[in-house]
Amino acid sequence: MAKDASAAHGAIIKRVDALAGQIAAINKSIFGKPETCYQETFASGLLREKLAAEGFSVKAPVAGLATAFIASRKGGGGKGPVVALLAEYDALPGIGHACGHSLIAATAFGAAAAIAQAVPDHPGTLMVIGTPAEEGGGGKVKMIEKGVFKGVDAAIMIHPSNKTRVIARMFAVTELIFTFTGKAAHAAAFPHKGVNALDAGVLFYNAVSSLRQQLKEEARVHGIFTHGGDAPNIIPEKVVMHFYVRALDKDYFRQVIHQVTQCANGAAQAAGCGLKIDQRGHTYEPFYPNRAMGRAFREHLKSLGVREDPYGETEEIGSSDIGNLSQQTPTLHPEYAAGGKEDINHSRDFLKAVVSKKAAANALAMTKAMALTEYGLLCDPKLMAEAKREFKEGR
Ligand SMILES: [Zn+2]
């Protein structure tokens, strides 16, 4: 490592430590005012204000989304790559910040402010991109469609979890609504005059359960009945089911969607019902972790004395709209433990962990590794070239 680089690294680490109080305060403020899907006015406003105070020029709304923003800072004249830190800040309905997005917002601010303060004349452009509505709203998908990430050479976001792991893949996911239609009739007097849509739904559910046995490990299908009929003495004329289909690989994803659709078609035919299939929301693409960026991140973590937990790349994984971004530009999405192994995302225990001392300490270490990796992408053309090559060849 060049002397300049190691001096810059030392300065960045020092600044992150100095920003610890602010990072914790941002997490607590956003945590205390949970806002769901596209309603994140307070969180987005707070981050914009804090980043403006650090010399970032802030643009909002972005892509027609009131709570999305871009904060950017040109270092030494703006020549060089454009690298982004992503901030999520939406909460879950009912349970609040049980996915810890308040921490994502706080750490993105921390890394950005530390770089800006420690190496103000860095090459290139440093951005913080505020991406609302990850939980079901597809904020990043909409922003990609509007070209927000065009010209962004690399992006990083760190996410609290029940483990510390730099590289993990994530499922593609789509939401499908199956509506079976039959014919209502008195269930005792005229059962023979009815067509039972619930039978179609039950057959479909069981067909999917059988199919699951034949699926590869890297796919998931799960669903519920959202409408199962109106009264026991009426042959159900309408049954609605809501399913998620997930897979790691794009081709296999399409195949599983086809197989699930065939199950529904067969069930409808068996029960003599009509069937309508609607896709809901946005399809999240599989997340592809950029391994070159991952290697850099791992080296920094190691030098900070942080150990990764021993988990495979496809163990305990979900889906995210960052998957779509990872198909557009080199992207990294490391995770870190907010609490213990059993404090899993979207649970009450995780909610407690998000504002715990352990989460604050782990978040601070990860913020350092994120800032150092981001700085590496700005300054080191070799690292950026590797990230781009890996992006082109590796997916
Ligand atoms: Zn999340």
Side-chain angles (χ1 to χ4, degrees), residues 299-313:
E299 270 173 40
H300 292 308
L301 266 193
K302 218 171 136 192
S303 71
L304 292 161
V306 179
R307 283 237 308 266
E308 276 188 82
D309 292 315
Y311 283 83
E313 288 183 10

Side-chain angles (χ1 to χ4, degrees), residues 22-33:
Q22 275 199 71
I23 294 170
I26 292 173
N27 177 39
K28 281 203 177 123
S29 305
I30 296 176
F31 183 91
K33 270 196 180 199

Side-chain angles (χ1 to χ4, degrees), residues 88 99 101 104 134-135 159 345-346:
E88 290 176 358
C99 202
H101 294 187
I104 300 179
E134 187 275 332
E135 299 287 354
H159 199 308
N345 297 62
H346 295 203

Side-chain angles (χ1 to χ4, degrees), residues 193-343:
K193 300 264 188 196
V195 176
N196 195 327
L198 184 58
D199 283 346
V202 171
L203 286 171
F204 171 49
Y205 194 88
N206 288 329
V208 169
S209 297
S210 299
L211 170 67
R212 207 172 273 128
Q213 183 179 225
Q214 310 305 132
L215 293 178
K216 292 187 196 172
E217 169 61 17
E218 64 239 40
R220 300 278 190 281
V221 185
H222 42 97
I224 56 166
F225 285 82
T226 54
H227 186 77
D230 298 294
N233 63 350
I234 309 170
I235 301 289
E237 62 177 342
K238 185 179 165 191
V239 163
V240 185
M241 297 168 78
H242 187 170
F243 268 76
Y244 279 24
V245 179
R246 307 186 198 238
L248 276 178
D249 166 89
K250 273 186 175 175
D251 289 335
Y252 192 53
F253 184 47
R254 272 189 287 272
Q255 185 190 317
V256 177
I257 292 170
H258 176 71
Q259 286 174 296
V260 170
T261 305
Q262 288 294 83
C263 290
N265 283 328
Q269 208 172 26
C273 286
L275 168 64
K276 190 161 80 84
I277 305 173
D278 297 297
Q279 200 210 318
R280 195 161 107 168
H282 299 274
T283 294
Y284 287 3
E285 291 179 25
F287 176 71
Y288 175 72
N290 189 277
R291 289 163 204 283
M293 288 163 67
R295 281 193 296 276
F297 197 100
R298 272 184 172 146
E299 270 173 40
H300 292 308
L301 266 193
K302 218 171 136 192
S303 71
L304 292 161
V306 179
R307 283 237 308 266
E308 276 188 82
D309 292 315
Y311 283 83
E313 288 183 10
T314 58
E315 246 178 290
E316 298 185 359
I317 53 166
S319 307
S320 165
D321 59 1
I322 202 169
N324 300 51
L325 185 61
S326 75
Q327 305 287 338
Q328 304 287 321
T329 197
T331 306
L332 192 68
H333 181 267
E335 55 193 315
Y336 60 97
K341 242 201 229 166
E342 298 306 320
D343 299 326

